[in-house]
Amino acid sequence: MKRLTPTTRLLAATLLATATLPSLAAGMQGMEHAPHRHEAGDAAIGRPGKPGAAARTVKVDMTDGMRFSPASVQVKQGETIRFVVTNSGKLRHELVLGSADDLKAHYAAMLKNPDMEHADANQVTLDGGQRGELVWQFDRAGAVPFGCLQPGHYDAGMKGSVTVAAARQH
Ligand SMILES: [Cu+2]
C-alpha cells in the first residue's frame, strides 16, 4: 500500500481547508443577523415577570454619558419589578439583565456583530428618546448585574446591579 508523503498530506489538508472555508463563512454570515437567543428564564438571575404581578415600579434612565441612573437598585427576594426605562440620550441604549459571565459573552458577540438584533425577556433596547418596560421577578438573593451591551457602552462603564435581599424565613 502506498503511503502518503508528508507533502501530499499537507496538500490534501490544504485542499480540504480551502473547500471547507467558504461554506463555513457562508454559515457564519447567515448567523450574523439571526436574533440572539438564550435562556431567558435563567434561575440564577430570576425569570420574566407577569406585568400584573409587579408590586413596584422602578424608573431607570439611560444617558449618552454611558450611565444608568440609578445604577444600583434594591429589591426583595421574590419581588416582581416593573422597570420603566427611559433613553434620554440620542444613541441607542439597552438594559440587559444577566450574570456577569453572560453579559460579557453577550457583549463580545455584539462587538463582533454590531448589527446583531437581539431581543429577549431579560432586556429592553431603546433608540434615543424612547421609553420601554421590562418586568422581571427576582427569585434568588444576591446580585443581578445589568448592562448596556451596545458596542463600546459596557466598556465605558454602562453597567449596574440589582441587589436582591434575602426573604425573611418564618
Ligand atoms: Cu448604552
Side-chain angles (χ1 to χ4, degrees):
M1 188 178 142
K2 193 186 168 191
R3 293 181 66 89
L4 292 174
T5 65
T7 317
T8 324
R9 261 191 251 165
L10 187 68
L11 186 68
T14 310
L15 281 172
L16 193 68
T18 318
T20 315
L21 272 174
S23 55
L24 196 70
M28 285 176 78
Q29 229 161 25
M31 282 164 64
E32 216 167 283
H33 295 288
H36 180 88
R37 295 246 150 229
H38 59 102
E39 288 297 311
D42 186 0
I45 65 162
R47 67 184 76 198
K50 295 189 188 89
R56 211 148 61 81
T57 297
V58 171
K59 288 182 184 169
V60 179
D61 190 32
M62 308 190 290
T63 69
D64 287 348
M66 304 301 164
R67 289 294 180 268
F68 288 104
S69 176
S72 165
V73 176
Q74 321 293 322
V75 309
K76 293 188 198 101
Q77 189 176 2
E79 204 174 13
T80 298
I81 301 292
R82 185 168 72 106
F83 291 95
V84 175
V85 184
T86 305
N87 181 352
S88 62
K90 288 190 168 64
L91 302 169
R92 174 179 286 189
H93 293 291
E94 61 198 358
L95 190 160
V96 184
L97 291 163
S99 69
D101 284 349
D102 276 354
L103 290 181
K104 274 179 208 153
H106 197 158
Y107 181 60
M110 289 285 286
L111 279 177
K112 276 187 198 157
N113 297 310
D115 297 331
M116 181 170 85
E117 284 182 28
H118 63 161
D120 229 326
N122 64 328
Q123 68 173 83
V124 55
T125 303
L126 301 168
D127 285 328
Q130 284 189 332
R131 175 177 295 180
E133 287 190 12
L134 168 60
V135 181
W136 198 258
Q137 183 176 14
F138 295 90
D139 292 340
R140 278 204 211 170
V144 176
F146 58 86
C148 175
L149 305 183
Q150 292 297 310
H153 298 205
Y154 191 66
D155 281 341
M158 195 159 182
K159 46 184 91 170
S161 182
V162 178
T163 304
V164 186
R168 267 189 223 134
Q169 303 292 323
H170 291 283

